[in-house]
Structures are given as structure tokens and as C-alpha cells.
Amino acid sequence: ALVLDLKPGERVIIGETLITNDQQRTRLHIEGTAPILREKDILRPEEADTPCKNLYLTLQLMYLDPDPTRFHDSYFELARKIQDAAPSTASLVLDINQNIIGGSYYKALKEAKRLIKYEAELIADA
């Protein structure tokens, strides 16, 4: 079982449900295969203000949706645009792609965080 320790007021998405913890720490023991995202991993649409964050948001939708293939076209179009604009992102995007093809959407999200960090470095150097 996955054990989640939630801080007061912390949110978590389990499947299609957003859960907000009350005023005290809570420990949840979760069994099953529903997708789970802690608040620190959730990107809201209004926060997706860069191409790589938009890519992450699309991956997040893929991870949470029962039919992630609905978002494949959008994802691969965004990935192509990012690589065209910054060819140095190719290896990071490839890692994400491999996880998507393998059905490991949570791992793809983790890799996308690396891509967002790299994008921030590129923007800072520009």
C-alpha cells in the first residue's frame, strides 16, 4: 500500500477526485491502481506559462485520464515545438517519450520536471 502523509490543508488527487486535508496531519494508506498526485506535483492551468510547463500539464492530464491516448497528439505536437525551438532538449524529451510509449505516465511527469528545470536555466541564460 502507498502511504501518504498529508499536511494540514494539503491537497491530493486520487483518480478523478480532489481531496483536501482538514486542519491536522493525516496518514492515508492507499491500495489500488488509481493515479495519485500530491499537491506539490499538481500544475494548475494558469501556472502553465511556458512551453515546458504546458507539456507537463498535458502529461498530467494523460496520467489522470482513464484514456491517456486522447492527449497523445497534443503532447507530441508540443514536444516537437519545444525541440524545434531548443534542440538541446532532445534527450530530455526522448526520456519522456519512452515513458509514455511504455505507459509509465507518472515517470514521464518526473522527467518533465527535469525538462522544466532545464527550460528555466535556458531562459535565465538568454
Side-chain angles (χ1 to χ4, degrees):
L2 173 67
V3 177
L4 285 180
D5 285 311
L6 300 176
K7 300 173 189 166
E10 186 175 2
R11 294 176 171 199
V12 62
I13 295 175
I14 300 177
E16 297 178 2
T17 305
L18 175 65
I19 299 168
T20 303
N21 191 23
D22 202 5
Q23 303 286 326
Q24 52 193 318
R25 291 188 75 81
T26 302
R27 175 172 285 171
L28 301 174
H29 297 261
I30 302 169
E31 294 183 36
T33 59
I36 298 169
L37 272 182
R38 295 185 69 122
E39 185 168 16
K40 67 179 182 163
D41 296 322
I42 298 170
L43 184 69
R44 294 183 174 98
E46 61 271 12
E47 298 169 329
D49 55 1
T50 68
C52 292
K53 287 181 183 178
N54 273 313
L55 187 87
Y56 183 94
L57 182 62
T58 303
L59 285 167
Q60 179 177 288
L61 293 170
M62 290 166 75
Y63 174 62
L64 294 171
D65 198 284
D67 179 17
T69 60
R70 295 183 328 124
F71 300 98
H72 280 192
D73 289 344
S74 298
Y75 165 80
F76 286 109
E77 177 66 19
L78 283 168
R80 184 190 57 74
K81 288 180 180 179
I82 289 168
Q83 289 181 92
D84 287 350
S88 61
T89 62
S91 65
L92 293 168
V93 172
L94 179 62
D95 290 342
I96 296 168
N97 291 349
Q98 289 175 335
N99 283 302
I100 290 171
I101 292 166
S104 299
Y105 295 99
Y106 186 76
K107 288 180 181 178
L109 280 171
K110 292 286 193 184
E111 294 296 329
K113 282 189 171 190
R114 291 180 48 220
L115 182 63
I116 290 170
K117 183 179 177 185
Y118 182 69
E119 176 187 44
E121 292 169 6
L122 288 176
I123 291 170
D125 290 343

